[in-house]
Amino acid sequence: GSDQAAATTAAAAAQVFRGGKVIIVGSINQDLTTYAPTLPTPGQTILGSDFITTPGGKGANQAVAASSTLQGATSSVCGGEVHMIGRVGNDVMGHSLLSSLRSKGVKLGEDDEATVDNVAHTGV
């Protein structure tokens, strides 16, 4: 799945970019997940039992995986930085996603001028 692909990307980055920069271009999205006891049939409405929001997006997931790899046990060998190029809206979800990426060691550019879109909303 996407976790395995992100881990593979991160492992490749650790081998290739010793002390360099890993630059990831991709999506930064807010995942919205609800849980339900069964799948609804066509036209049926059912109640969910729980609802969570989590950071997501293929590019963001890869950036976090690469950063985790470079900061992990191999950091003394690899070093390097992970930079993310992507867009979020100038809204609560967008700012939360950028904060989450920063907390994982992903570099986003000065003042987020390249990542915050004042017109479009953050993707879900």
Side-chain angles (χ1 to χ4, degrees):
S2 64
D3 290 339
Q4 184 178 11
T8 301
T9 300
Q15 292 299 319
V16 176
F17 296 101
R18 294 176 188 267
K21 292 182 180 179
V22 176
I23 300 172
I24 302 202
V25 180
S27 60
I28 306 170
N29 295 326
Q30 184 73 52
D31 290 345
L32 310 175
T33 306
T34 189
Y35 297 90
T38 62
L39 288 174
T41 59
Q44 180 185 23
T45 300
I46 62 173
L47 294 176
S49 59
D50 200 6
F51 176 77
I52 61 171
T53 62
T54 53
K58 288 182 183 180
N61 292 343
Q62 290 176 348
V64 169
S67 181
S68 175
T69 298
L70 293 177
Q71 293 176 11
T74 60
S75 64
S76 61
V77 175
C78 297
E81 298 177 337
V82 176
H83 294 256
M84 176 75 205
I85 299 172
R87 305 284 287 182
V88 296
N90 189 9
D91 50 42
V92 172
M93 285 190 281
H95 294 289
S96 175
L97 290 167
L98 297 180
S99 177
S100 177
L101 285 167
R102 274 191 219 94
S103 76
K104 302 293 185 182
V106 177
K107 309 286 186 198
L108 298 168
E110 308 243 348
D111 300 322
D112 302 325
E113 71 277 354
T115 55
V116 176
D117 188 316
N118 288 315
V119 178
H121 297 286
T122 299
V124 293

